[in-house]
């Protein structure tokens, strides 16, 4: 038998030819087998809130479609930054996903310290839905609408304030944008979450709240706060008689919160595409669609690129608001 002799150079050349082929096979093989075990959906907020409820309905519906368990894991803290950071640093194999809200972007725009980059550390999967914020006021102010709020906020001596779920939250930046468009004098009062902010609003210790629908809807229905306007471009089907902020005289004020699913950057495209298809279908399912409707939101269906565009455009908007306000995150 003839003995074959290979030089080190020949061996390396052969290996170089094989590596690209292996690299192209691995993601495809992973996608073919995906998912082979349970998926973790990280919710970067405490259990029991509106965001958590939507995430759990999505997880249940998504599990039915994928044939594997989708386990919700709540990792609250840092305005959502702790949970997001966990996902950003997870293995990019499609088994650890982030359930994000618009605060994911506003935190970044405001310069809240994180260990990730909103655009570089994640692979967008799908945007589920969008809903307006509700501009509400404490009952003792006796405000009837945005015009009354602007009149009160026109005078610094009235010491008007607005609360939020924390520095850099969607509530915070929505209030800052309102101030910039109306020359209102309002002091921002941040809380560690929407729950404590709502408690103090009801007690009259803070006065105005640009609140998400899940946060404040029960109090609005019970007439414990005064609803002045909705922040979206069009009126909310939950409150068809309540004007938008723009209709109330503030041009180009169109703010909404949203819910989306992302994976760690580097997740194989085949897995991203599969998840996009299944998340879109799950969001359109009766359980999730009804949940979004109950929260005053509309379901959304689109490719990963649509979510990527949302992240890019909103980062631009909110960074401009932050720059103009001169706010500094400690």
């Amino acid at each position: 038998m003839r003995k074959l002799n290979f030089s080190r150079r020949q061996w390396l050349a052969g290996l170089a030819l094989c590596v690209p082929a292996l690299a192209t096979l691995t993601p495809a093989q992973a996608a073919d087998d995906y998912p082979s075990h349970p998926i973790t959906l990280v919710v970067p907020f405490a259990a029991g809130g509106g965001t958590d409820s939507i995430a759990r309905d999505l997880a249940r519906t998504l599990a039915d479609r994928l044939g594997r368990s989708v386990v919700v894991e709540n990792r609250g803290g840092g305005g959502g930054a702790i949970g997001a950071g966990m996902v950003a640093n997870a293995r990019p194999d499609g088994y650890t996903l982030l359930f994000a809200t618009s605060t994911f972007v506003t935190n970044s725009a405001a310069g809240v310290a994180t260990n990730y980059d909103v655009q570089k550390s994640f692979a967008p999967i799908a945007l589920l839905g969008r809903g307006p914020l509700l501009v509400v006021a404490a009952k003792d102010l006796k405000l009837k609408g945005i015009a009354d709020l602007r009149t009160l906020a026109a005078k610094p001596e009235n010491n008007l304030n607005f609360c939020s779920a924390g520095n850099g939250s969607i509530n915070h930046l929505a209030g800052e944008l309102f101030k910039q468009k109306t020359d209102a004098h309002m002091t921002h009062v941040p809380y560690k979450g929407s729950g404590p902010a709502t408690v103090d609003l009801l007690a009259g210790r803070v006065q105005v709240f640009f609140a998400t629908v899940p946060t404040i809807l029960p109090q609005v229905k019970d007439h414990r706060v005064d609803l002045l306007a909705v922040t979206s471009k069009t009126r909310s089907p939950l409150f068809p008689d309540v004007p938008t902020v723009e209709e109330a005289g503030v041009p180009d004020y169109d703010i909404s919160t949203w819910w989306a699913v992302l994976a760690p950057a580097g997740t194989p495209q085949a897995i991203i595409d599969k998840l996009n298809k299944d998340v879109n279908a799950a969001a359109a399912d009766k359980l999730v669609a009804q949940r979004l409707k109950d929260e005053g939101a509309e379901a959304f269906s689109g490719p990963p690129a649509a979510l990527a565009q949302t992240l890019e455009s909103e980062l631009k908007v909110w960074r401009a608001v932050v720059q103009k306000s001169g706010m500094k995150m400690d």
Side-chain angles (χ1 to χ4, degrees):
M1 181 179 292
R2 184 181 178 184
K3 186 177 181 180
L4 297 177
N5 294 315
F6 291 96
S7 69
R8 178 177 176 80
R9 180 177 295 177
Q10 289 172 318
W11 181 81
L12 290 173
L15 181 62
L17 291 173
C18 293
V19 168
L22 290 172
T24 57
L25 284 174
T26 302
Q29 290 173 336
D32 287 342
D33 295 337
Y34 180 84
S36 61
H37 55 271
I39 296 168
T40 297
L41 181 63
V42 176
V43 177
F45 304 103
T51 294
D52 182 60
S53 297
I54 296 171
R56 290 180 185 277
D57 284 345
L58 175 69
R60 189 177 302 116
T61 307
L62 192 57
D64 291 340
R65 293 191 57 82
L66 294 172
R68 296 286 179 182
S69 298
V70 179
V71 181
V72 172
E73 182 172 338
N74 297 93
R75 286 295 184 97
I82 292 176
M86 172 186 170
V87 175
N89 292 287
R91 180 176 297 178
D93 55 9
Y95 289 97
T96 305
L97 308 175
L98 176 66
F99 191 79
T101 70
S102 48
T103 289
F104 176 66
V105 167
T106 57
N107 270 344
S108 176
V112 174
T114 64
N115 62 350
Y116 57 83
D117 182 287
V118 164
Q119 292 178 289
K120 296 178 181 179
S121 302
F122 298 89
I125 293 174
L127 184 68
L128 273 73
R130 281 185 173 276
L133 303 181
L134 304 181
V135 186
V136 298
K139 295 293 289 187
D140 59 1
L141 292 183
K142 296 181 172 54
L143 303 181
K144 301 300 182 183
I146 293 296
D148 289 347
L149 175 60
R150 294 182 67 175
T151 298
L152 188 65
K155 300 177 180 180
E157 60 269 24
N158 286 330
N159 296 316
L160 194 66
N161 59 48
F162 74 99
C163 60
S164 80
N167 284 320
S169 65
I170 184 68
N171 326 113
H172 176 195
L173 297 198
E176 292 293 341
L177 180 61
F178 182 83
K179 287 172 58 179
Q180 291 173 13
K181 287 185 171 292
T182 62
D183 294 323
H185 296 277
M186 295 194 298
T187 301
H188 173 231
V189 182
Y191 286 81
K192 292 182 178 180
S194 292
T198 301
V199 169
D200 274 11
L201 179 73
L202 295 175
R205 288 186 283 270
V206 287
Q207 298 164 303
V208 179
F209 195 6
F210 294 76
T212 62
V213 173
T215 294
I216 208 69
L217 185 59
Q219 288 75 27
V220 172
K221 288 184 174 180
D222 290 344
H223 304 287
R224 300 179 68 192
V225 295
D226 289 323
L227 175 58
L228 308 183
V230 298
T231 64
S232 49
K233 187 74 173 179
T234 59
R235 295 191 180 195
S236 168
L238 292 180
F239 304 102
D241 296 329
V242 176
T244 67
V245 174
E246 187 172 55
E247 286 177 331
V250 184
D252 301 320
Y253 192 96
D254 177 16
I255 303 303
S256 61
T257 189
W258 45 259
W259 302 268
V261 179
L262 302 98
T267 301
Q269 189 61 45
I271 290 179
I272 295 295
D273 291 341
K274 176 176 176 54
L275 283 170
N276 173 262
K277 179 180 178 181
D278 288 322
V279 170
N280 279 334
D285 182 85
K286 183 178 179 181
L287 180 65
V288 180
Q290 186 61 48
R291 170 68 70 176
L292 290 170
K293 184 178 180 180
D294 291 344
E295 306 290 5
E298 294 183 357
F300 179 90
S301 179
L307 175 53
Q309 177 58 39
T310 294
L311 298 179
E312 181 178 357
S313 62
E314 293 204 1
L315 274 171
K316 183 178 179 180
V317 169
W318 292 124
R319 281 171 177 163
V321 172
V322 169
Q323 183 177 16
K324 186 174 181 178
S325 72
M327 71 176 69
K328 301 293 182 183
M329 297 293 106
D330 295 327

